[in-house]
Amino acid sequence: MSERAMNFAQPSETIITRAAQHHGLASRSIGTILMDAGRLSTDAAESIIKLQKEGGLRFGDAAIQLGLLTEADVRYALSHQFEYPYLMPGDTSLSEEVVAAYKPFSPIVEKLRALRSQLMLRWFDGESGNKMLAVTSPERGEGRSYIAANLAVVFSQLGERTLLIDADLRHPRQHEIFKLGNRNGLSAVLAARTGMDEAIVRIPDLLGLSVMPAGAIPPNPQELFNRPQFLTLLESAQRQFDVILFDTSIGGAYADAQMIASRAGGAIVLSRKDVTQAARLRELTDSLRHSGATVVGSVLNGN
């Protein structure tokens, strides 16, 4: 597939509608969820139900009309009803960079979902058998780790069993973004010092998302990626996960990204507005193709 810029057009479906279609209707009501969370009293729930019946309204609309709930409260309940988890303001379990977890209804996250939709059509379409994708960029500071982290979150929110592997064994960041320890990770797996399952961290607040941090920074990243342990890792990961994303080191200075993309089968190339040089972007896409990887598309980071 030839390189194409990803279209960030706004999808017509709402987030909750897509979640409902994927998971089916849930059994717990909005009122029950909010009462269990301590956000709604029994008396308030009764008042809402009364107005709901009198006016033929939805529970959430009646609650907002009475001033007993906010739109954020209703979204919180819907996210739990349809197994579409996100984190509330004030939760510090992850870095604020994970906007898909903290601000799932923001315009930037809608753009990430648009990217996800295109990747589902172009790469993770089921029929092709593709499960792995590298996220790379020519230089540092172009937002590669940020995009990889948030793309992993939106895939998990769709219900895909998602694994994000921090394969940047030179300047890793995913352990900082997800606030994980970094003593055990990919480098230890490749050095045969630990198993894959021991290196993967489940993110409890985000259904379906797991992260493998980079681990200790080794002196020989390229040699590690050439070891048979890497192929064994990829084979095992594909049996356990639906989507596997790799946050790679920069492609303009090291051959790691090309090697990983070749093993994964495909890559998306990230550039940053007013930062990335067009010539460096072309060089990277050419080198990826020469390595045998499919350049699924390019993504312009406008932030």
Side-chain angles (χ1 to χ4, degrees):
M1 184 180 295
S2 60
E3 177 198 354
R4 297 173 60 188
M6 291 296 180
N7 178 9
F8 279 147
Q10 294 286 347
S12 59
E13 297 175 299
T14 66
I15 301 165
I16 297 301
T17 299
R18 287 197 297 269
Q21 289 174 339
H22 188 86
H23 292 290
L25 292 176
S27 59
R28 296 176 70 205
S29 69
I30 291 176
T32 301
I33 292 169
L34 291 170
M35 283 193 290
D36 290 346
R39 294 181 174 219
L40 186 67
S41 69
T42 303
D43 289 344
E46 290 177 353
S47 298
I48 295 168
I49 292 170
K50 181 179 178 182
L51 178 60
Q52 180 185 12
K53 291 179 179 179
E54 292 173 350
L57 302 172
R58 293 180 299 183
F59 185 91
D61 293 335
I64 292 172
Q65 185 172 317
L66 289 171
L68 295 173
L69 292 176
T70 65
E71 193 164 325
D73 291 323
V74 175
R75 285 178 172 175
Y76 170 85
L78 286 170
S79 73
H80 283 70
Q81 192 177 49
F82 295 115
E83 298 182 5
Y84 188 85
Y86 63 91
L87 304 180
M88 299 302 293
D91 188 324
T92 59
S93 57
L94 304 179
S95 164
E96 292 182 356
E97 288 183 76
V98 192
V99 291
Y102 285 105
K103 300 177 181 179
F105 310 105
S106 62
I108 188 170
V109 180
E110 278 294 350
K111 292 180 180 180
L112 285 163
R113 289 191 189 85
L115 171 58
R116 178 193 65 190
S117 297
Q118 293 199 33
L119 290 173
M120 291 295 288
L121 292 171
R122 298 183 185 187
W123 190 247
F124 301 112
D125 59 1
E127 295 181 2
S128 65
N130 295 325
K131 288 190 172 186
M132 302 186 292
L133 185 72
V135 180
T136 189
S137 66
E139 303 292 345
R140 297 188 66 189
E142 291 164 322
R144 182 186 61 259
S145 296
Y146 169 85
I147 294 294
N150 284 285
L151 194 56
V153 172
V154 296
F155 268 112
S156 73
Q157 288 171 335
L158 187 63
E160 302 292 326
R161 296 172 300 169
T162 304
L163 174 63
L164 172 62
I165 298 178
D166 193 344
D168 186 349
L169 299 185
R170 299 175 189 275
H171 301 281
R173 289 211 57 235
Q174 295 301 338
H175 66 287
E176 298 174 351
I177 293 174
F178 287 94
K179 296 189 177 182
L180 307 173
N182 199 37
R183 296 182 63 182
N184 197 25
L186 176 61
S187 61
V189 176
L190 299 182
R193 291 191 289 106
T194 192
M196 183 186 83
D197 292 340
E198 288 73 29
I200 291 176
V201 181
R202 176 79 178 81
I203 308 300
D205 293 325
L206 299 172
L207 294 176
L209 179 61
S210 299
V211 177
M212 179 183 288
I217 297 176
N220 57 338
Q222 287 188 34
E223 287 76 13
L224 287 179
F225 286 121
N226 272 312
R227 292 186 178 182
Q229 285 87 348
F230 189 42
L231 290 178
T232 301
L233 166 64
L234 301 186
E235 291 170 358
S236 298
Q238 290 182 87
R239 289 193 293 268
Q240 297 183 36
F241 296 93
D242 303 312
V243 172
I244 303 158
L245 300 176
F246 297 89
D247 177 11
T248 75
S249 58
I250 59 174
Y254 311 108
D256 306 8
Q258 290 85 337
M259 194 176 304
I260 294 164
S262 176
R263 298 295 192 191
I268 55 172
V269 181
L270 179 68
S271 60
R272 190 165 200 157
K273 185 179 179 180
D274 300 327
V275 173
T276 305
Q277 297 180 10
R280 299 291 283 168
L281 187 64
R282 285 194 298 270
E283 290 173 6
L284 176 56
T285 54
D286 288 344
S287 67
L288 288 167
R289 292 193 184 100
H290 291 155
S291 72
T294 297
V295 179
V296 181
S298 60
V299 179
L300 176 63
N301 181 4
N303 295 323

